[in-house]
Amino acid sequence: MLDLPTAFGQPALTTRGILERWDEMLPRLHELAADETADWRPLEHLRAHAPVEPRQVFQSGANYRQHVIDLEVAHRAPDDPRTAEEARAEIAAVMDRRAAEDLPYVFIGLPSAISGPFDDVVLPDWAEQPDWELELAAVIAKPAYGVTVEKALEYVAGYTIANDLTDRATVFRRDMKAIGTDWLRCKNAPGFTPLGPWIVPAESIADPGDLRVNLKLNGETMQDESTKDMLFGIARLVSYISQTSRLLPGDLVLTGSPAGNGMHWGRLLRDGDVMEGSITGLGAQRTRCVAERTAS
């Protein structure tokens, strides 16, 4: 590990500050990485925080074909007349239509939900069905507004790992079905988005559309899929978001989670569980679930 504020002679330097000057900073980061005489320090005695503090978190939903099919089957109502095969076929047709219409689905997350890649994850006592969603996250380098798909990747500094924890029991509003989903409630508890450990420069990732996303629960593989299953790639998501919102340096674009969530397996998170998440070339995170302790 290298103390970048010291190395750059800028004590107040932050990750966001580096991203705001990404084109200037990246060559200097390469020089430092190759400098064996720099003041490198071992990591084992340090606490790894999230690699960036974003101002905005954009989250792509229903972006992995098989994941959505699995959730549709798992969420079927008890009185649903469809067989599992019929439900799969129906939602598969919906996903194919979405891809043909080229219309991503994106919602907003809260920066306060972000935690470090090795921090404990506190499961709130109200979360009846906490689940995992390991995701590839793109980190924005410079302000982006109204950018084309062809230019969108020029605004991406790099990639990192996010685990977008979700309480399945509160995804849908039971009292107001017409309103639909409640993303605030189900996804934004403190620490529900472990992030990191690293931001890997985009130029070091040959193809973000062909990375392996792997999550193990207590050593057992639960998710092991390729980002090839995404309906909409990084460039399309960044461009789509930028048509409405101005992306800022350090912002995150979460790209959705592949198949293999707890609802699919019939096994949701509980006190003491350990999640290990990795994505090709981006390192690995390890988080332990801890039940919320209420004051007596």
Side-chain angles (χ1 to χ4, degrees):
M1 192 280 295
L2 189 63
D3 182 359
L4 291 180
T6 300
F8 282 118
Q10 301 177 36
L13 184 66
T14 63
T15 303
R16 187 189 299 168
I18 292 173
L19 293 168
E20 288 172 344
R21 300 158 54 195
W22 186 244
D23 291 342
E24 169 195 346
M25 287 292 199
L26 185 58
R28 298 178 66 185
L29 290 172
H30 282 307
E31 292 173 4
L32 286 172
D35 186 358
E36 297 181 0
T37 66
D39 185 21
W40 293 98
R41 305 177 186 179
L43 286 171
E44 54 263 29
H45 301 302
L46 301 175
R47 178 186 174 189
H49 295 275
V52 67
E53 295 181 357
R55 283 168 283 197
Q56 302 179 106
V57 180
F58 298 92
Q59 299 179 251
S60 176
N63 197 36
Y64 278 79
R65 190 176 187 277
Q66 191 58 47
H67 166 63
V68 176
I69 293 172
D70 288 347
L71 283 181
E72 175 71 13
V73 173
H75 275 295
R76 279 186 308 153
D79 59 350
D80 191 328
R82 299 174 300 173
T83 65
E85 291 73 20
E86 289 171 339
R88 286 183 182 278
E90 185 175 316
I91 194 61
V94 171
M95 296 300 283
D96 291 342
R97 185 174 69 249
R98 285 188 60 228
E101 293 172 349
D102 193 28
L103 189 63
Y105 174 49
V106 179
F107 53 93
I108 306 298
L110 293 179
S112 59
I114 289 173
S115 57
F118 309 113
D119 291 349
D120 287 348
V121 172
V122 176
L123 303 177
D125 55 10
W126 52 261
E128 299 174 7
Q129 297 180 326
D131 201 349
W132 58 85
E133 290 193 3
L134 201 69
E135 307 192 14
L136 173 66
V139 183
I140 299 301
K142 54 188 177 182
Y145 184 70
V147 302
T148 64
V149 173
E150 292 74 21
K151 294 286 188 180
L153 292 184
E154 297 176 11
Y155 295 82
V156 174
Y159 302 98
T160 190
I161 302 171
N163 191 354
D164 176 30
L165 272 68
T166 305
D167 175 43
R168 301 292 178 198
T170 51
V171 171
F172 300 103
R173 289 295 296 257
R174 299 170 185 173
D175 58 332
M176 294 181 288
K177 292 183 179 180
I179 288 181
T181 48
D182 189 345
W183 298 127
L184 171 68
R185 180 69 164 168
C186 70
K187 288 181 176 285
N188 288 287
F192 254 37
T193 313
L195 189 71
W198 325 115
I199 297 173
V200 177
E203 63 181 30
S204 299
I205 301 299
D207 182 6
D210 188 15
L211 302 177
R212 205 74 192 171
V213 180
N214 181 279
L215 184 135
K216 292 182 172 67
L217 181 69
N218 303 326
E220 182 179 355
T221 297
M222 309 305 278
Q223 288 183 286
D224 187 22
E225 296 286 345
S226 171
T227 54
K228 283 183 178 180
D229 197 39
M230 285 194 294
L231 287 185
F232 306 103
I234 304 289
R236 178 67 184 112
L237 291 175
V238 171
S239 174
Y240 173 78
I241 294 165
S242 79
Q243 305 309 312
T244 299
S245 303
R246 186 182 300 278
L247 291 120
L248 302 171
D251 284 353
L252 297 176
V253 176
L254 275 60
T255 59
S257 189
N261 302 105
M263 286 294 287
H264 168 72
W265 295 109
R267 166 62 162 92
L268 296 161
L269 294 170
R270 51 183 180 242
D271 187 32
D273 282 343
V274 175
M275 296 178 288
E276 298 172 279
S278 63
I279 297 179
T280 309
L282 303 183
Q285 55 176 239
R286 185 179 189 274
T287 53
R288 180 173 62 104
C289 295
V290 179
E292 185 175 38
R293 312 298 181 193
T294 56
S296 57

